[in-house]
Amino acid sequence: MDHTSLKYQLIQKDLKARIESGEFAEGSSLPSERRLSQDYGVQRETLRKALKLLRDEGYVAAVPGSGNRVIYHAQEPAESPSRMIAFIISGDMDRQAQLYHIQVCNYLEDYFRPRQINVLFAKLGSGEEMPSILTRTDRIYGIIWVSHIEERFLEEARKASIPCLQLASDYPLFPRINYADFAAGFDATKHLLSQGCRRIAFIGGIRGSVTRERYHGYLEALATYGLTPDKNLVIEGDWSYTAGQLAARRLLQQTPLVDGVLGSNDMTAIGALKTFQGAGLQIPQQIRVIGIDNIDEGKSCVPSLSTIAVSQKDIARTAYLLMLELLEGRPVPEEIIIPGHLIIREST
C-alpha cells in the first residue's frame, strides 16, 4: 500500500469514528473540505478519497451548497452485542499526531479479529464526560488508554473493574506499555552531534512522560559532548505540524542560527523542516533535522526525514498479548518498554 492510500484510509477511519461517537451528529454537515484538508495536513485530492469512502458506506451524502451531510443513523444495541476492546486516545492531541495511534489501532484490529473481538477507537479530551458505554462491562471487555488521559477516567474504569492497559503513560494505576523515550531522545541528539551539530534545538510535545523522557535524553546527549543546554533552543509544542512550523520561525530569528533540530515526534520535525526550506535554507547542508516515530509522512517528504523508529506493529502486538492475559485473569508485568532504532535518511 502506498503512502497516499494509507493516508486517506486513516482519515476515513478517523472521520467515521467521529461520526459514530456523535461528534458529527446525523443531519449536521462536516467541516468544509478546506478546513479538513488543513486539519489532516493533506491535499484536497487525498481528502476527497476519504470522503468518497464515507459516502460509499452510507455515512455522509454530498449536498449541493451544504458540503457533506451526515446521514449515519446510530443503531440501537443488538440483543447480543459484539465483544469490544476500547482504544482510547487523548482528544487534546492534534489530528495529525493521532494518525500514528490510528495505525496502532489498525494493527490491533487485525490481531483481535480472529477472536471475534472488535476494537472501538475513541477520543476523550479534557473536560469531557466519561461515555457510559466505557463503564458497561457487558459491552467493553477491556480498555487501552493512550497518552495523556485524565486520571478521573482511569479511576472510573478501575471502579468498574474493567481490565485496562496504558500506552505511552507513566500513571501507575494499570500495566503500562511505553517506548524507550529517553533512549530515543538521546540517540537522536547523539546522531546530530556526530554530524557536527552543536546548536541543537528541541521541539517538545504534549506534556507528559513521553515528551519529558525524550527531552531528558536530549539533555543527556548534550552533556556527553560537554555542551551546556541553551533554554532559547527548547520550544514547547503539541506534536503537530503547525507546532513545528511555529518553532522553526522562532528559531530563524535567533543568532547564531541553529544547526540541528530534534522534533519530539516526526510530524513536528516535518513542520520545522518545511519551514526551513521555505526560508531558503538547505537541508542537511545548513540545518539537520530528525524526528521520532517513523511515520509514513517522514518517509515520503523531501528530503526524507531521519528518525528514531518505534514500531506500531510491535506496540499493537504487545498490547494484544497483554490484554489476552488480563482477560484471562493472569498477572502481567507492570511495564514493558518497546525499543526504537535510528533510521538515517536525507534530512541529516
Side-chain angles (χ1 to χ4, degrees):
M1 182 182 296
D2 62 27
H3 161 70
T4 302
S5 63
L6 175 63
K7 189 66 175 285
Y8 81 76
Q9 289 183 32
L10 291 175
I11 293 171
Q12 178 262 352
K13 185 178 183 66
D14 187 41
L15 286 172
K16 182 176 176 179
R18 296 169 73 184
I19 291 171
E20 291 178 345
S21 71
E23 181 179 346
F24 300 127
E26 181 180 6
S28 67
S29 294
L30 294 181
S32 68
E33 288 187 3
R34 178 176 178 274
R35 173 65 182 274
L36 289 172
S37 296
Q38 292 176 340
D39 286 349
Y40 287 109
V42 298
Q43 299 295 323
R44 290 196 185 187
E45 180 182 354
T46 300
L47 175 69
R48 286 169 181 163
K49 291 181 180 180
L51 293 173
K52 183 180 184 302
L53 288 181
L54 290 174
R55 288 194 291 270
D56 292 345
E57 293 184 358
Y59 279 77
V60 300
V63 179
S66 299
N68 292 281
R69 182 76 55 81
V70 177
I71 60 173
Y72 170 80
H73 179 71
Q75 301 295 318
E76 293 297 322
E79 292 184 5
S80 299
S82 60
R83 303 188 299 170
M84 287 191 292
I85 298 294
F87 186 84
I88 314 297
I89 72 173
S90 170
D92 302 327
M93 195 182 300
D94 178 86
R95 296 284 175 204
Q96 296 160 347
Q98 290 176 10
L99 294 176
Y100 178 88
H101 298 295
I102 291 173
Q103 193 163 356
V104 174
C105 188
N106 286 341
Y107 284 123
L108 274 172
E109 287 183 320
D110 293 339
Y111 286 128
F112 278 111
R113 189 176 296 114
R115 294 178 175 270
Q116 298 183 320
I117 297 177
N118 297 322
V119 178
L120 170 68
F121 179 86
K123 300 181 285 292
L124 278 177
S126 301
E128 294 185 22
E129 293 299 319
M130 179 83 150
S132 58
I133 192 174
L134 295 184
T135 56
R136 289 183 55 182
T137 54
D138 61 322
R139 298 294 306 277
I140 300 297
Y141 272 41
I143 300 177
I144 299 172
W145 302 99
V146 183
S147 192
H148 183 65
I149 301 289
E150 286 191 18
E151 295 177 9
R152 60 190 179 93
F153 295 133
L154 305 179
E155 291 291 346
E156 287 188 51
R158 181 187 62 80
K159 291 176 183 177
S161 299
I162 299 175
C164 291
L165 292 173
Q166 295 173 180
L167 172 61
S169 171
D170 61 351
Y171 193 62
L173 190 57
F174 299 119
R176 303 176 301 282
I177 301 171
N178 281 315
Y179 323 133
D181 292 305
F182 179 91
F186 180 89
D187 291 344
T189 308
K190 183 179 178 181
H191 172 62
L192 293 176
L193 289 163
S194 71
Q195 299 302 301
C197 299
R198 292 298 180 267
R199 283 184 54 78
I200 301 173
F202 177 86
I203 306 173
I206 292 176
R207 292 185 180 181
S209 60
V210 174
T211 297
R212 182 175 63 250
E213 289 302 307
R214 292 178 181 182
Y215 172 63
H216 286 166
Y218 157 82
L219 294 178
E220 183 67 19
L222 293 180
T224 62
Y225 273 69
L227 298 176
T228 302
D230 183 344
K231 64 179 181 180
N232 294 318
L233 300 183
V234 178
I235 302 175
E236 293 187 1
D238 59 8
W239 289 335
S240 69
Y241 183 93
T242 301
Q245 289 179 307
L246 294 174
R249 290 170 190 161
R250 177 173 160 184
L251 292 169
L252 285 168
Q253 297 173 358
Q254 298 188 25
T255 303
L257 187 66
V258 296
D259 53 15
V261 173
L262 166 59
S264 59
N265 73 340
D266 280 352
M267 191 59 72
T268 296
I270 294 170
L273 183 153
K274 292 300 182 182
T275 302
F276 291 138
Q277 281 186 312
L281 297 176
Q282 293 184 323
I283 297 172
Q285 291 85 348
Q286 292 176 279
I287 296 181
R288 301 178 190 270
V289 181
I290 190 169
I292 299 173
D293 283 344
N294 192 34
I295 63 174
D296 290 312
E297 289 80 357
K299 304 172 190 176
S300 60
C301 74
V302 180
S304 56
L305 181 70
S306 294
T307 189
I308 303 296
V310 184
S311 169
Q312 293 105 317
K313 191 171 186 178
D314 288 349
I315 293 166
R317 179 162 180 78
T318 302
Y320 164 72
L321 294 173
L322 289 187
M323 182 57 73
L324 290 183
E325 294 296 295
L326 290 175
L327 294 177
E328 293 295 329
R330 291 191 285 265
V332 300
E334 290 185 3
E335 184 175 41
I336 291 180
I337 302 296
I338 305 295
H341 63 277
L342 174 64
I343 296 179
I344 300 174
R345 299 196 182 105
E346 297 166 340
S347 68
T348 60

